[in-house]
Amino acid sequence: MHIEELQTPALTIDVDSFERNLATMAAAHPGRALRPHVKAHKCTAVAAAQVAIGHDTFTCATPREVVGMAEAGVGVDLLLANESLDDQRLRAMAELDVAVTVAVDSDATVAAAARNGITSCLVDVNVGLPRCGVAPDAAGALADRARAAGLDVRGVMGYEGHLMMVPDRTERLAAVEASMELLIRAHTDVGGDIVSAGGTGTFDLHGATGVNEVQAGSYALMDSHYGQQGLPFEQALFVVATVISVSDGWAVADAGLKALAMDHGNPSIPGGSVWFCSDEHVVFAPDDRPAVGDRVRVVTAHVDPTMALHEAAWVVRGDEVIDRWPIDLRGW
């Protein structure tokens, strides 16, 4: 099958760039030094490729991802890195035939995990991102209460998401080290073997921080947002669109808001300048006037929610379509 035969908009993965991205990250963080984040792709076929290169522990954003990974037999140690109070979903995870750990940052999340049969947790620590996480000085006491409730406290996690896009690498490194000092201070009080943090934007900045597993995910496929950072990963994900209208100075292709996540801004099109997106359209100024019917490759600004908009990704090598991977963990 040829890429020109795909119905558009079509989500595609350049398999050669994808495999090089996996190899680059595995060289930096081999084996369990990386706990790849499933939220970035929501696809068990992508996760299976990560297992094949040596990573068998995973970070998940939703209970659906945890259950789906377990049912697909991908990964031996799954972390739900978001707090949950949902009794039904917590019980479903507890009943899986795979090790499941959940993040906790309050007595309520500890109690919910314990009453539904979850046996392991990480204490989620606020390291500067105003989202989830217990204050570092309160982490040890929460860990004590979690153990009293019958949970195995495996360690700590913290996410320095507010630092992923600091443009200057030296400044980013200094900020990450300061953020991780909070996590290490909490870990001293909490105990356990795991100190989990990081993401694609800070994947190579934890050498002296004490973090022993990195939760990067976007590196495998990439997007234009991370592409600005000069990271050693290639753009592997594209939305192929068809040019459906051409005017003087601009053209329109059939991939819009329903095919491209927009929370990080406009997508980009090599060989053109994107003006705006509407529901079904991307309007762009091409460097060279295209013809109606031409195909363009659109680079999304944010990989994670873009993946969740599509039912499947087509795996391509050059212009040849070689496989179809369901986005089987999408939705809730």
Side-chain angles (χ1 to χ4, degrees):
M1 189 176 184
H2 191 274
I3 199 167
E4 294 288 334
E5 300 175 65
L6 295 175
Q7 292 182 302
T8 57
L11 189 73
T12 64
I13 296 173
D14 183 300
V15 68
D16 295 326
S17 293
F18 168 69
E19 290 178 349
R20 284 192 291 269
N21 288 345
L22 296 193
T24 297
M25 182 62 84
H29 296 292
R32 294 187 178 181
L34 183 76
R35 186 184 282 271
H37 213 313
V38 174
K39 72 170 184 174
H41 52 74
K42 300 180 86 71
C43 173
T44 56
V46 171
Q50 292 170 317
V51 170
I53 205 166
H55 312 298
D56 63 359
T57 64
F58 287 88
T59 310
C60 300
T62 67
R64 177 179 174 84
E65 291 173 11
V66 174
V67 172
M69 289 282 286
E71 290 179 345
V74 182
V76 300
D77 183 334
L78 305 176
L79 167 66
L80 178 66
N82 290 320
E83 284 69 21
S84 177
L85 297 171
D86 189 311
D87 290 342
Q88 184 175 347
R89 287 175 171 142
L90 286 165
R91 282 195 300 273
M93 292 188 292
E95 292 168 359
L96 296 172
D97 189 23
V98 65
V100 173
T101 300
V102 302
V104 298
D105 70 353
S106 67
D107 289 336
T109 49
V110 167
R115 71 172 174 263
N116 288 293
I118 296 291
T119 59
S120 299
C121 70
L122 291 183
V123 174
D124 187 4
V125 179
N126 183 347
V127 295
L129 176 68
R131 202 166 69 179
C132 298
V134 66
D137 291 342
L142 181 62
D144 291 341
R145 295 194 295 275
R147 291 188 178 97
L151 297 179
D152 173 24
V153 180
R154 300 182 66 190
V156 297
M157 62 160 281
Y159 180 50
E160 71 281 17
H162 57 303
L163 305 178
M164 293 294 153
M165 300 306 294
V166 174
D168 182 81
R169 177 182 167 81
T170 301
E171 292 178 5
R172 189 160 73 249
L173 173 59
V176 167
E177 290 177 342
S179 183
M180 292 302 100
E181 285 179 8
L182 299 175
L183 189 61
I184 297 304
R185 188 173 78 204
H187 182 244
T188 300
D189 296 333
V190 168
D193 296 330
I194 294 175
V195 182
S196 190
T200 295
T202 62
F203 86 98
D204 58 345
L205 303 180
H206 289 286
T209 65
V211 168
N212 57 25
E213 63 174 36
V214 172
Q215 296 183 12
S218 298
Y219 77 94
L221 300 173
M222 289 294 284
D223 54 34
S224 64
H225 197 56
Y226 271 130
Q228 303 169 17
Q229 295 295 88
L231 301 171
F233 306 111
E234 304 173 28
Q235 185 63 42
L237 184 76
F238 301 91
V239 175
V240 175
T242 302
V243 175
I244 59 172
S245 181
V246 177
S247 300
D248 289 336
W250 74 89
V252 183
D254 63 350
L257 301 176
K258 297 173 185 176
L260 301 159
M262 297 290 292
D263 55 310
H264 287 173
N266 277 341
S268 60
I269 295 178
S273 174
V274 172
W275 285 3
F276 64 89
C277 290
S278 51
D279 281 1
E280 312 293 351
H281 307 117
V282 54
V283 179
F284 66 103
D287 295 342
D288 298 308
R289 184 183 177 96
V292 171
D294 284 353
R295 296 294 176 95
V296 293
R297 296 198 307 173
V298 184
V299 180
T300 183
H302 193 182
V303 56
D304 306 22
T306 295
M307 294 294 288
L309 293 172
H310 295 261
E311 293 182 355
W314 297 94
V315 182
V316 302
R317 174 170 283 119
D319 289 333
E320 180 187 4
V321 179
I322 61 175
D323 207 348
R324 179 185 183 275
W325 289 351
I327 314 302
D328 48 349
L329 305 180
R330 64 199 289 261
W332 273 88

